[in-house]
Amino acid sequence: MSEFGEPNAPIKRSSSAGSFIQKYFAEGQLIGEGREAHAADPYRRLKGVVMPAIFFHLCWWSYMIKHDLFHLFEDKYYMTITMVFGSMIAGATSEGGAS
């Protein structure tokens, strides 16, 4: 045996991108048999909400800063206000939540 281990031994990976996405972005989808340890995590809901929010904020802020598009808010501020109130109504009603 060499100092680098077995020459034909498979490479072990601790985690993959697919398991990361499944764990944090498909949160709560597979809770059941064999997943009790994962279901006992007290921060799993927080992780399921915060991690996607951080990801999309980083994408949005990076794009806006790179292309210097903040000037659009000066002329089209009413669109932002409309979208904020529209999302609140859509999230608060069963009719808006289904669309």
Side-chain angles (χ1 to χ4, degrees), residues 57-70:
H57 269 277
L58 284 173
C59 292
W60 186 84
W61 282 100
S62 300
Y63 183 81
M64 293 296 285
I65 291 170
K66 180 180 178 183
H67 297 288
D68 193 26
L69 296 174
F70 291 105

Side-chain angles (χ1 to χ4, degrees), residues 81-93:
I81 295 170
T82 303
M83 293 300 283
V84 167
F85 285 111
S87 66
M88 284 188 220
I89 292 169
T93 63

